[in-house]
Amino acid sequence: MQADFWHAKWEKNQIGFHEAETNPNLTENFHHLGLETGARILVPLCGKSLDMVWLMSQGYQVVGVELSELAVLQFFEEQDIPFEKTVDGDFIHYSTEGLELYVGDFFKMNADVLGQVDAVYDRAALVALPEEMRKNYTQHLSKISNTAPQLLATFEYDQSKRNGPPFSVSEEEVRLRYAEKFEINLLEVKELGEMFVDGLLVSEKVWYLKGKG
Ligand SMILES: C[S@@+](CC[C@H](N)C(=O)[O-])C[C@H]1O[C@@H](n2cnc3c(N)ncnc32)[C@H](O)[C@@H]1O
């Protein structure tokens, strides 16, 4: 998925992935990460997700990375939050109390710019990317977050019946990408029934990845 694909999605407001409510996988499972109030949570490929608002409301600091400046501007406008804007290397940095959003290419982010990461919340980030990008994504994420614990949600369905995004990411692939550096815990399996196209059965899995240190 190239940058143009996502910019066009935001410009045409084709953002079916954006949810009007906080995602229950987050609210039901975030406690597994056992974080202290004030911990800094990385939300890769964050869009304008309301999950960031929930994380802030729970006393966490949030740092998001998003390609589309439009998405970030919509986030601040819709949440009616004032912000400061600066330029930081390859990124435009939007910040407010408890929240920093970097506009730019996630693959260009590095640990120095990003700063401390205590945990990662991946909803619709890994599954937004085609298979040929997922190896780079997971390696890069593990590196810049210093294998911080992660809450991850994946979809599984018959990929031959539909093209992503979101892409199907199998249990085997989660283990292939992350087992070297993380202990992998499957928290939940949800049968979502038919989704995306007629007759396509989709399930969702929620994972807690704990860095081996
Ligand atoms: C499927 S959406 C999910 C957004 C958000 N996580 C949510 O739950 O609503 C994927 C997002 O990733 C962004 N994106 C795609 N490639 C990116 C990249 N290389 N760097 C930063 N953001 C990217 C897109 O602009 C889009 O907003």
Side-chain angles (χ1 to χ4, degrees), residues 6 9-10 12-20 48 123-124 155 162 165-166 195-196:
W6 292 106
K9 288 278 175 208
W10 282 101
K12 293 181 201 156
N13 202 32
Q14 291 171 348
I15 53 168
F17 53 79
H18 177 71
E19 298 184 312
K48 57 173 181 174
R123 186 258 158 193
F155 290 121
R162 175 195 185 266
M195 267 180 83
F196 307 132

Side-chain angles (χ1 to χ4, degrees), residues 6 10 17 45-47 49 65-67 104-107 123-124 128:
W6 292 106
W10 282 101
F17 53 79
L45 284 59
C46 61
S49 172
V65 184
E66 169 55 50
L67 203 52
D105 183 357
F106 175 77
F107 294 93
R123 186 258 158 193

Side-chain angles (χ1 to χ4, degrees), residues 16-19 23-25 123-124 127 153-168 189-205:
F17 53 79
H18 177 71
E19 298 184 312
N23 191 292
N25 294 331
R123 186 258 158 193
V127 298
T154 52
F155 290 121
E156 276 184 57
Y157 62 87
D158 181 350
Q159 192 75 86
S160 71
K161 296 201 169 136
R162 175 195 185 266
N163 248 331
F167 292 91
S168 177
V189 181
K190 294 181 178 175
E191 299 304 334
L192 302 181
E194 272 187 40
M195 267 180 83
F196 307 132
V197 292
D198 279 353
L200 185 65
L201 292 176
V202 179
S203 63
E204 187 176 34
K205 289 185 176 160

